[in-house]
Amino acid sequence: MNSRERFLKTMTFSAPDRPACADYHYYDSTRERWEREGLPKGADLDEYFGYDFNPFRWQVQADIGALPRQKAEVLEETGDYKVIREGDGQVVRILKNEPPPAMPQWLRYPLASREDWGAFKRRLDPDRPGRLPPDLGRLPPAAQRSRPLGLWAGGAYGYMRNWWGVEQLSLLFYDDPALIEEMMEVQTHLYATIFDRVIAARVELDWVMFWEDMAYKTGPLVSPDLYRRFCMPFYRTMMERVRRAGVPVVMLDSDGCIESLIPFWLDEGIFVMHPMEVASGMDVAAARRRYGRRIAFFGGIDKRALAGTRDDIRREVLPKLKACADGGFIAACDHAIPPDVSFDNFRYFRDLIREWRG
């Protein structure tokens, strides 16, 4: 059984030869530590750990951002930090001596007024050059692929938050709901058109992933009522297309506590939740008990436990593997793996999963 088959059977509660495995390695600082601790320098981590799924590499390379991008520019630099205007127009302060996962400080967002939006929305035209790769029509059919291929299919709240910032966007839901609706229409047209063009090119998708990042430690950044009213029409439009295209695995990526929104997504057919952030109270075992096989997961393992002892890792991992023994679970870190996780601990974590699952 190849990785594509294994991924599909795992996420759809079928019978793979073994459950699919995956994780993702986002931080250069983590790799640098691991290479000091024994990881072969320059190793392909997907191959090294035998992963079956990587949504950041094995995807249709569609550009759903604001185009054209501006050239990034350093506006200020000291011995401690840089102030940078990035390609989408946001201005951030980045500490020099604290690499990611340290977060930048946002000083200014791309949008601050309706006038800004008028110019910005023209950059969200799906006909802008560079949206889709030139080799789109030459991608191999599903039967000839050994790895799962998918598409990041946009999102409703998260991108607007990036354009305005949480505070300003929160006010707009009350002060200018017509603008929220207009932005949602523009986003829906962009993402739906890109999806349609991928399908029209006869690309057989194994998965789609929606991106939100719209929650914090104890709940969503917008109330469930507002989310249902303004954001769920986007998902209804997109999921009509996804179902029509026969895409078997539909995922949603959001950090934070998403518990109050999960029923909305499940009702539309979005059934894989990622990354199920433990520090925000998300628990794959509890969610499986509540929703049964309606829900599946990619993630769910507390990254803080991976920085502890082997006993900490076992206490975190084994109960979740047992709770999801019937499938629908790719056990992975609940976000990118931070540099306080040693190479030895991470190998133990991966070996523990293999040992438990045979």
Side-chain angles (χ1 to χ4, degrees), residues 191-203:
Y191 307 143
T193 301
I194 288 175
F195 182 87
D196 289 345
R197 289 173 180 171
V198 170
I199 298 303
R202 300 184 182 276
V203 177

Side-chain angles (χ1 to χ4, degrees), residues 35 104 118 180 302:
E35 288 182 347
I180 297 290
D302 191 348

Side-chain angles (χ1 to χ4, degrees), residues 154-160 184 187 191 211-212 227 231-232 234-235:
Y157 176 92
Y159 291 100
M160 293 193 302
M184 203 63 65
Q187 286 192 102
Y191 307 143
W211 181 83
E212 281 290 23
Y227 192 85
C231 298
M232 289 311 296
F234 161 78
Y235 285 105

Side-chain angles (χ1 to χ4, degrees), residues 108-243:
R108 190 159 64 249
Y109 292 92
L111 301 181
S113 68
R114 263 190 171 269
E115 290 71 24
D116 293 340
W117 166 246
F120 189 84
K121 70 179 180 181
R122 291 193 288 272
R123 299 170 59 200
L124 300 175
D125 184 343
D127 293 326
R128 288 274 184 179
R131 292 284 181 203
L132 292 168
D135 65 344
L136 181 65
R138 299 192 296 275
L139 293 175
Q144 297 178 19
R145 297 196 305 260
S146 62
R147 291 171 169 169
L149 178 72
L151 175 72
W152 288 79
Y157 176 92
Y159 291 100
M160 293 193 302
R161 184 212 62 193
N162 285 356
W163 302 338
W164 292 91
V166 173
E167 181 178 356
Q168 182 71 3
L169 181 61
S170 298
L171 293 172
L172 287 176
F173 276 96
Y174 294 93
D175 295 342
D176 199 345
L179 178 57
I180 297 290
E181 291 175 343
E182 181 182 342
M183 288 191 293
M184 203 63 65
E185 289 173 2
V186 170
Q187 286 192 102
T188 302
H189 177 59
L190 170 62
Y191 307 143
T193 301
I194 288 175
F195 182 87
D196 289 345
R197 289 173 180 171
V198 170
I199 298 303
R202 300 184 182 276
V203 177
E204 298 174 88
L205 297 173
D206 299 310
W207 56 268
V208 296
M209 179 89 81
F210 297 105
W211 181 83
E212 281 290 23
D213 269 11
M214 54 79 56
Y216 63 112
K217 184 174 181 179
T218 61
L221 291 166
V222 63
S223 75
D225 286 344
L226 288 175
Y227 192 85
R228 181 193 294 110
R229 172 185 168 188
F230 290 101
C231 298
M232 289 311 296
F234 161 78
Y235 285 105
R236 285 191 285 274
T237 296
M238 293 299 297
M239 285 304 297
E240 287 175 4
R241 287 166 161 78
V242 170
R243 284 189 288 269

Side-chain angles (χ1 to χ4, degrees), residues 22-27 30 34 51 55-56 100-103 152 161 211-215 252-256 273-280 282 284 298-306 316 320 330-341 346 349-350:
D23 226 309
Y24 67 97
H25 309 275
Y26 184 83
Y27 302 125
T30 305
W34 288 1
Y51 291 157
F56 302 97
M103 295 290 287
W152 288 79
R161 184 212 62 193
W211 181 83
E212 281 290 23
D213 269 11
M214 54 79 56
L252 186 136
D253 176 349
S254 182
D255 300 334
M273 303 299 152
H274 168 68
M276 295 293 287
E277 188 177 6
V278 179
S280 298
M282 302 310 300
V284 298
F298 169 40
I301 302 299
D302 191 348
K303 52 188 169 292
R304 299 169 300 177
L306 299 190
E316 168 63 17
K320 293 178 179 179
I330 296 180
C333 195
D334 63 348
H335 201 276
I337 302 151
D340 59 351
V341 176
F346 190 75
F349 161 57
R350 299 306 325 176

